[in-house]
Amino acid sequence: MSMTMEKQIASAARTDAPPAIMLDKVNKWFGSLHVLRDVSLSVAAGERLVVCGPSGSGKSTMIRCINRLETHQEGRILVEGIELTDDVRALDAIRREVGMVFQSFNLFPHLTVLENCTLAPIWVRRTPKAEAESVARGYLELMRIPEQAMKYPGQLSGGQQQRVAIARALCMKPKIMLFDEPTSALDPEMIKEVLDTMVMLAEMGMTMVCVTHEMGFARQVADRVVFMDRGEIVEMGTPSQVFENPQTERLKTFLSQILRGH
């Protein structure tokens, strides 16, 4: 079953495809606070992009704009070639292609793990219940938690809950996965099991944009690392370029603080 899941994920990564995500001079304000400043970025199909930066740098706002959990006021955002606008049909089409995993697990506490995973496929994709359950069990197996299917979220550890959240997102068979600091709410001993799961997804060729402070993960997985500060993309490059040869004082300061924190 896991091999089938791997093939489904890998098939979404096509080298001849247009950019999976494109941001062109995106600006966003919260009231008078300018949180995104002329952000331009292109993510290729199958690429793994890690976004880092200090708190308040705009990185979570940027990732939330990609599936319109936040709306931008200026510039353009295209996902799978579809521009994000107020067009509800276009937004629905994009959200079917984009999975998102948050800091908090956002699981429904009154539903079992299996029910959490099958709810959207049944109601949004109109998948027959038996098929949705089969797919969900396959992804729970891929996440190495098949035995948790009939439990409720409150019966699981934080790391297990986050892996359920990843499985739930995958059950919609997305082409793109967005991760917004997925390990920040976890105890240290649970971080590795979630990062290992994300490494596995990356190795299968899933298009990924991940906001994280886990620099070891960024070094291991990222094709490119984006450093943001004060709403701007300050530096961008391969992990070795960004971590070993920072060009700006802002990035040097950030890296020294991160290293001191570990």
Side-chain angles (χ1 to χ4, degrees), residues 61-130:
T61 300
M62 181 185 76
I63 205 171
R64 289 172 68 87
C65 283
I66 291 173
N67 67 350
R68 215 165 172 79
L69 291 174
E70 300 284 358
T71 55
H72 59 289
Q73 283 99 355
E74 289 181 4
R76 302 171 71 218
I77 301 176
L78 287 87
V79 178
E80 292 289 315
I82 303 171
E83 184 167 359
L84 277 173
T85 65
D86 292 329
D87 183 335
V88 174
R89 286 172 301 177
L91 182 57
D92 285 346
I94 288 167
R95 285 186 173 161
R96 280 196 291 269
E97 305 297 346
V98 179
M100 186 153 185
V101 177
F102 302 86
Q103 297 176 41
S104 53
F105 319 123
N106 289 4
L107 299 172
F108 293 109
H110 63 291
L111 299 180
T112 65
V113 165
L114 189 64
E115 288 167 339
N116 267 280
C117 290
T118 59
L119 188 67
I122 289 170
W123 288 99
V124 177
R125 287 204 184 270
R126 301 286 187 260
T127 306
K129 184 181 178 186

Side-chain angles (χ1 to χ4, degrees), residues 27-61:
N27 284 271
K28 176 168 179 61
W29 290 262
F30 288 123
S32 61
L33 184 63
H34 198 174
V35 291
L36 294 178
R37 300 170 180 265
D38 281 335
V39 172
S40 293
L41 180 66
S42 180
V43 182
E47 185 174 14
R48 287 100 62 178
L49 190 82
V50 166
V51 184
C52 62
S55 295
S57 60
K59 55 193 189 297
S60 286
T61 300

Side-chain angles (χ1 to χ4, degrees), residues 189-209:
E189 66 270 17
M190 295 177 187
I191 290 173
K192 184 178 183 301
E193 63 188 53
V194 173
L195 291 178
D196 285 348
T197 298
M198 294 167 64
V199 169
M200 178 175 60
L201 280 183
E203 289 171 347
M204 291 178 195
M206 173 66 78
T207 306
M208 297 169 63
V209 180

Side-chain angles (χ1 to χ4, degrees), residues 172-192:
M172 288 293 284
K173 301 179 182 175
K175 294 179 180 175
I176 299 165
M177 284 286 285
L178 307 177
F179 295 89
D180 187 5
E181 301 200 37
T183 59
S184 65
L186 298 177
D187 294 331
E189 66 270 17
M190 295 177 187
I191 290 173
K192 184 178 183 301

